[in-house]
Amino acid sequence: MTIDLNKVAVVSGERNVTYTQLLAGIGTCAKAQTFAPGARGLIFAPNSEGWICALYAVWMYEGIAVPVDSTSTPEDLAYILNDCKPECIWTTRPRLDVVNEALLHVPNLSPDILFIEDFRETDASAPPCPLSVLTLDTDRQRTALIIYTSGTTGSPKGVMLSYDNLMANIEGVWKDVHIFDSERRTLMLLPVHHVLPLMGTVVAPLISGGGIAVCPSLSPDDITETLRKGQVGIIIGVPRLWQTIYNGIMRKVNAHVLTSALYWLCDKVQSRALSRLIFKSVRQRMGGHIVFCVCGGAALDVETGRGLQTLGLDMLEGYGMTEAAPVIAFTRPGEYRPGCAGKALPAVECKLEDGELCARGRNIMQGYYNRPEETAQVIRDGWLHTGDLATVSPEGFITITGRTKEIIVLSNGKNVNPVELEFKLEKFTAQVKEAAVVADEDKLCAIIVPRKEWAAGLSLYEQEVRLKTEVLQPYNETVEAYKKVMRLFVFEGELPRTKLEKLQRFKLTALLKAGLHSAPKPRLVEPTFEEYKLIKQYISQEKKNITVRPTDHLETDLGFDSLDKITLQGFIQHTFGLNMSVEQISRFSNVAELAEFVSSGKRGIEQSDVDWGKILREEKADVILPGTWPTGPWIVHSFKTLFKLHFRLAAKGTRNIPEKGPFILASNHQSYLDGLCVMSYVPLEQIRRTYFFAKEQHVNTPFRRWLATHHNVVVLEQNNLAHSVNVLSNVLRQGRNLIIFPEGTRTSDGSLGDFRKMFAILAVEFHVPVVPVVINGAFEAMPRGRKWPLPKKIVVEFLPPLLPGPSDTYDSLTAQVRTAIDVKLKR
């Protein structure tokens, strides 16, 4: 093999370094070393041109390179120093304090410390590095690297890799299968202390003559600029990088009907030529020279892989581990199957043993450094036992189905792969930044890191409540019963991961054991109305006398499955005469809200055999309306000004409000803000003549009761419904107005709920007009569980009044009003 020494080997910022210059730089670094062949040279520095020179400088003197994560703590670095006892350390001055502190914990070790930045200028007196060092033309059985495993399951171990291990990988993706070549430059992006980026973005690109483009950081701007300047042909990334790229592209694709339709067409046709033609701009934004997009480190989910392929990108997915230097299997160009790791490396033989993938060949490690017993545990009869479960097709395609140590085995015998569940949870991109699934007391639990922009202004408890409703509930509806997540924890920070984004699952368990608990719930007065007591008693008995709190979620706190909901449905129907679907029951955030809904909708007030005409026409002399203080209009005016500033509150159709009463304003119910939003546009002279209708559990403090009795609020007394109804009838009888929310409770998901017909009963019996009112935007401004409202625009629209006719029934008028509001909402 020949390499053009005048060709650019490394593009780093504004520097273009030829092979000749690179060899001279390596020679300069090597001259500073004093250790003998076989000695260990540790590299503790971030990705850079100098890092490459330090690596080959160690190899030039027949040393063993030991790359270490440049962000390691002194304790982590001390562990590796004590384990491998290096003769020299290549580092940078900003990391010297970490090195010195680590050395304090390692007695009798005094390595030479060399600073990479001191060798940016070539020493003309230093002999250049022989080209044979770059091409690994040496004794292939010698140890080239000690790579410390990332520690996903415990303390890291030093994996010893020979030059032959490395060459088995390189020959497989360069000579046997044509991926790397002299015309394809590779992006150096991932931290190269891991064997995948070390081999894929340093060693293979240099030995094949294609060269490297060094990206200074993981920021999108730096990546884009490096792809352009470096004319990059190969990108090697981990699944989270490709998922981020794919999600970013798809947000733009889905923003327009045309591009969305074109994507759908390309997905159906699956023609590489068509995809590359239609989505040519995608590759242009990635520098315009991309040939292969390689994913390694972990399995890429099927949706992302297929999606990137649909966008015209040639995806190649690999599978391996540090102990295999690292490739065991990889995709051949033109043979990509989403979710499949491809076929075995040409130099590798694979087999399944009790479902576990085993491999042997030239690429398998020499062993763990100074750990013969642990080496013997994973290499038996020449076969590397990977610990991964897999299937192998008759054509040789390997699909990894899970990791033996990560598979969660439930008491019912079901096996759960947490990676599958985590991907589905992370598809809720608006709320979830990252997720991890663990088992606790035989229940699947989700540890969720929410997106900061979504969580802004929410307490931990409010985040937990909304995540249960917005994420866990829809997720649980799409999976089999044994895959349902029954508990949720909100985690502030970053989940413990390796530099290649693999979850360190042993630390997740430690998080739970260390006291990661559900967010503290706010103090809530236990409801006292009868419906709540009965539902609480029923749940407690059904769940073997567990403690039921008003804030408990049916699924994630109380463990309700679909069968439990069906029996609860039957209980509600039998006890309260209220027909609810299982879907309706599932939408409630907690037991109190469910009971509140049942209370507002039970047949005690809606039953059809009651002669409401007779009851309402009987005027009661002892019925006294709530007080009407002069402060009412002032309070409304103040809130109207505030709402206009914060929510850009606006109104339509105010001319539809009758100039004189009595009339009923019937509105959809999106938030706690709704009453004031509607009242803000009632004419000033009508405000003191307009009354609200509220449930007693909402006025359960002395101040709220005082406010209600002095500011036109009629309280529905659960134990004295007849009296409450007579108060409402007196409002209309005295020529005054009512504001009623027929849904009875706020929406849990923004959609319009069922209407209770109390307003229609009053309208028909007193022959007063009903003005349908549509509130838009209040749910987005202050949905259930939110403490402080967001500055979202709210619009209140008053529709033309509906005056009951001779043929109108309670039900028909209810339907007319609901339909009028629903039509406007859907627009």
Side-chain angles (χ1 to χ4, degrees):
M1 183 211 72
T2 59
I3 293 178
D4 180 0
L5 297 182
N6 294 317
K7 185 177 178 179
V8 173
V10 179
V11 176
S12 181
E14 300 301 322
R15 284 173 54 82
N16 289 339
V17 181
T18 67
Y19 274 90
T20 297
Q21 293 169 329
L22 179 63
L23 293 172
I26 295 169
T28 299
C29 290
K31 183 182 178 182
Q33 299 172 148
T34 58
F35 59 79
R40 289 158 297 287
L42 186 141
I43 308 173
F44 181 65
N47 290 10
S48 66
E49 174 194 341
W51 197 103
I52 301 169
C53 291
L55 170 70
Y56 285 97
V58 173
W59 282 349
M60 182 175 169
Y61 278 13
E62 299 184 354
I64 300 172
V66 185
V68 177
D69 182 0
S70 65
T71 63
S72 296
T73 64
E75 292 76 14
D76 291 338
L77 179 59
Y79 174 89
I80 295 174
L81 291 173
N82 190 59
D83 192 60
C84 72
K85 302 291 195 303
E87 279 74 11
C88 84
I89 298 175
W90 283 97
T91 189
T92 60
R93 282 189 166 76
R95 284 158 176 77
L96 180 59
D97 288 345
V98 177
V99 173
N100 286 334
E101 186 175 343
L103 286 170
L104 292 176
H105 301 284
V106 187
N108 304 318
L109 181 65
S110 301
D112 293 334
I113 298 178
L114 304 171
F115 298 109
I116 284 174
E117 58 264 45
D118 288 351
F119 299 91
R120 287 175 180 162
E121 298 299 325
T122 301
D123 183 353
S125 66
C129 174
L131 184 60
S132 60
V133 174
L134 280 185
T135 59
L136 308 190
D137 187 10
T138 183
D139 179 0
R140 295 286 175 82
Q141 301 310 311
R142 284 198 298 109
T143 302
L145 294 167
I146 297 178
I147 300 279
Y148 279 83
T149 55
S150 52
T152 58
T153 57
S155 299
K157 300 180 286 290
V159 176
M160 297 186 294
L161 299 174
S162 69
Y163 285 100
D164 196 46
N165 295 153
L166 307 188
M167 285 305 299
N169 273 264
I170 293 169
E171 289 169 359
V173 295
W174 169 38
K175 294 181 177 179
D176 298 328
V177 179
H178 194 66
I179 296 174
F180 291 90
D181 68 15
S182 60
E183 302 303 319
R184 296 169 186 162
R185 188 170 289 127
T186 302
L187 183 69
M188 181 179 173
L189 176 67
L190 302 175
V192 290
H193 67 276
H194 286 286
V195 69
L196 169 65
L198 173 56
M199 292 296 294
T201 69
V202 177
V203 181
L206 288 178
I207 200 171
S208 65
I212 304 165
V214 181
C215 189
S217 78
L218 287 169
S219 77
D221 289 343
D222 281 341
I223 294 174
T224 301
E225 184 65 10
T226 306
L227 290 173
R228 184 187 63 81
K229 281 186 178 180
Q231 299 183 357
V232 171
I234 301 174
I235 303 177
I236 297 179
V238 291
R240 290 178 71 82
L241 171 68
W242 293 118
Q243 287 166 5
T244 300
I245 291 173
Y246 172 66
N247 290 336
I249 295 173
M250 289 308 296
R251 277 194 293 270
K252 296 179 180 179
V253 168
N254 292 329
H256 303 283
V257 175
L258 178 59
T259 51
S260 181
L262 290 172
Y263 178 86
W264 178 87
L265 175 65
C266 291
D267 184 55
K268 294 299 180 185
V269 174
Q270 283 297 311
S271 164
R272 179 178 181 272
L274 179 63
S275 292
R276 290 173 72 88
L277 174 64
I278 290 177
F279 293 107
K280 182 180 179 181
S281 61
V282 172
R283 296 193 317 284
Q284 288 177 333
R285 291 193 188 99
M286 298 174 73
H289 293 81
I290 294 297
V291 179
F292 295 126
C293 298
V294 181
C295 182
L300 182 65
D301 67 273
V302 173
E303 179 184 324
T304 301
R306 181 182 174 90
L308 290 168
Q309 190 177 35
T310 299
L311 293 167
L313 298 175
D314 290 323
M315 295 300 301
L316 303 179
E317 191 168 353
Y319 159 75
M321 54 198 305
T322 306
E323 289 85 343
V327 181
I328 291 175
F330 69 99
T331 304
R332 275 50 168 179
E335 295 185 355
Y336 181 61
R337 299 184 181 185
C340 174
K343 297 178 180 178
L345 191 76
V348 173
E349 182 183 356
C350 292
K351 71 172 183 178
L352 295 178
E353 190 172 302
D354 295 328
E356 179 186 9
L357 185 66
C358 302
R360 70 178 178 185
R362 288 172 51 207
N363 63 326
I364 303 304
M365 68 172 179
Q366 295 174 314
Y368 294 122
Y369 186 69
N370 285 337
R371 298 194 183 192
E373 294 85 2
E374 293 185 46
T375 300
Q377 289 175 4
V378 297
I379 300 180
R380 302 194 290 273
D381 298 324
W383 290 92
L384 172 67
H385 289 249
T386 65
D388 289 311
L389 302 172
T391 60
V392 182
S393 73
E395 302 84 12
F397 287 95
I398 297 172
T399 300
I400 305 300
T401 58
R403 184 152 182 80
T404 55
K405 292 181 180 179
E406 294 179 356
I407 294 295
I408 298 171
V409 182
L410 301 174
S411 60
N412 59 9
K414 295 288 188 180
N415 292 339
V416 177
N417 182 359
V419 176
E420 173 195 347
L421 278 54
E422 288 156 1
F423 169 70
K424 290 184 177 180
L425 290 170
E426 289 177 356
K427 287 183 70 175
F428 294 88
T429 55
Q431 301 90 349
V432 180
K433 180 182 178 184
E434 53 180 336
V437 174
V438 295
D440 184 40
E441 297 179 352
D442 206 43
K443 290 183 179 179
L444 293 179
C445 310
I447 302 173
I448 291 181
V449 178
R451 291 200 176 278
K452 289 183 178 179
E453 56 272 24
W454 174 85
L458 297 175
S459 67
L460 280 178
Y461 171 70
E462 290 167 337
Q463 291 175 43
E464 183 180 296
V465 168
R466 286 188 59 183
L467 286 171
K468 287 176 181 177
T469 303
E470 299 175 19
V471 177
L472 281 200
Q473 191 167 300
Y475 159 81
N476 282 339
E477 290 171 356
T478 64
V479 298
E480 298 148 284
Y482 72 93
K483 293 182 181 178
K484 291 181 184 292
V485 174
M486 306 310 295
R487 297 178 64 191
L488 179 145
F489 303 97
V490 178
F491 184 64
E492 294 180 303
E494 301 288 335
L495 294 179
R497 294 182 181 273
T498 70
K499 291 300 178 179
L500 291 187
E501 296 294 331
K502 292 182 180 179
L503 274 173
Q504 295 178 301
R505 296 192 181 276
F506 71 99
K507 291 185 178 180
L508 297 178
T509 304
L511 277 180
L512 292 179
K513 290 180 178 178
L516 178 62
H517 301 295
S518 297
K521 293 176 169 44
R523 293 186 63 184
L524 182 68
V525 177
E526 186 88 3
T528 58
F529 58 96
E530 193 64 23
E531 292 79 10
Y532 172 77
K533 291 179 179 178
L534 291 172
I535 291 174
K536 175 183 176 180
Q537 182 182 19
Y538 168 80
I539 293 173
S540 178
Q541 290 173 351
E542 284 292 305
K543 289 296 178 180
K544 299 179 181 178
N545 297 317
I546 65 170
T547 300
V548 180
R549 297 162 296 186
T551 54
D552 282 343
H553 189 278
L554 288 176
E555 288 185 5
T556 54
D557 292 319
L558 301 173
F560 263 58
D561 57 22
S562 56
L563 183 60
D564 291 326
K565 291 176 189 174
I566 290 172
T567 57
L568 177 60
Q569 177 190 32
F571 169 78
I572 290 173
Q573 182 176 4
H574 175 76
T575 307
F576 306 108
L578 181 63
N579 289 316
M580 293 183 69
S581 68
V582 170
E583 290 71 23
Q584 277 182 296
I585 292 173
S586 298
R587 283 202 292 264
F588 291 95
S589 297
N590 54 52
V591 177
E593 289 184 359
L594 171 63
E596 182 181 308
F597 180 85
V598 170
S599 173
S600 68
K602 67 177 186 177
R603 286 186 60 193
I605 196 169
E606 298 283 336
Q607 60 188 37
S608 57
D609 55 352
V610 175
D611 187 351
W612 287 107
K614 180 180 178 181
I615 293 174
L616 295 176
R617 282 190 293 272
E618 294 176 358
E619 187 169 357
K620 301 287 185 179
D622 61 338
V623 174
I624 302 174
L625 298 183
T628 307
W629 275 36
T631 51
W634 178 86
I635 291 173
V636 171
H637 180 74
S638 299
F639 272 99
K640 181 178 182 180
T641 303
L642 180 64
F643 283 12
K644 280 189 171 183
L645 291 172
H646 189 70
F647 304 113
R648 294 168 290 153
L649 180 67
K652 299 178 182 178
T654 53
R655 65 185 181 279
N656 291 320
I657 302 175
E659 294 182 1
K660 297 180 180 180
F663 57 81
I664 297 173
L665 300 178
S667 173
N668 62 309
H669 202 2
Q670 292 195 335
S671 76
Y672 279 134
L673 309 169
D674 296 346
L676 284 167
C677 288
V678 174
M679 192 64 116
S680 293
Y681 290 96
V682 172
L684 194 62
E685 63 274 13
Q686 295 271 34
I687 289 178
R688 296 183 65 187
R689 300 179 58 80
T690 303
Y691 288 73
F692 284 99
F693 178 39
K695 289 170 281 190
E696 61 183 340
Q697 58 262 39
H698 290 162
V699 287
N700 54 3
T701 66
F703 175 72
R704 288 179 179 178
R705 283 193 292 273
W706 175 87
L707 204 64
T709 56
H710 292 81
H711 290 87
N712 295 20
V713 178
V714 177
V715 179
L716 173 64
E717 299 176 18
Q718 299 291 337
N719 297 324
N720 196 353
L721 289 175
H723 175 77
S724 299
V725 170
N726 274 305
V727 175
L728 292 177
S729 65
N730 259 16
V731 170
L732 298 175
R733 190 178 285 112
Q734 294 181 25
R736 305 189 183 196
N737 320 310
L738 280 173
I739 295 178
I740 294 180
F741 298 99
E743 291 168 276
T745 189
R746 293 164 293 144
T747 177
S748 61
D749 59 5
S751 63
L752 191 65
D754 294 331
F755 272 26
R756 308 290 165 253
K757 57 188 176 187
M758 191 67 244
F759 79 94
I761 293 171
L762 292 166
V764 168
E765 295 302 332
F766 287 98
H767 196 64
V768 298
V770 177
V771 179
V773 183
V774 183
I775 298 177
N776 250 320
F779 176 74
E780 289 74 17
M782 197 172 183
R784 283 178 179 267
R786 186 165 185 85
K787 188 174 182 179
W788 299 108
L790 296 167
K792 303 288 186 179
K793 184 175 179 62
I794 300 177
V795 177
V796 181
E797 184 172 1
F798 299 86
L799 304 182
L802 297 173
L803 185 65
S807 61
D808 279 321
T809 64
Y810 307 152
D811 290 329
S812 67
L813 183 59
T814 301
Q816 289 179 59
V817 174
R818 189 187 184 284
T819 300
I821 294 174
D822 194 30
V823 168
K824 283 289 183 179
L825 281 174
K826 288 179 178 177
R827 287 181 183 175

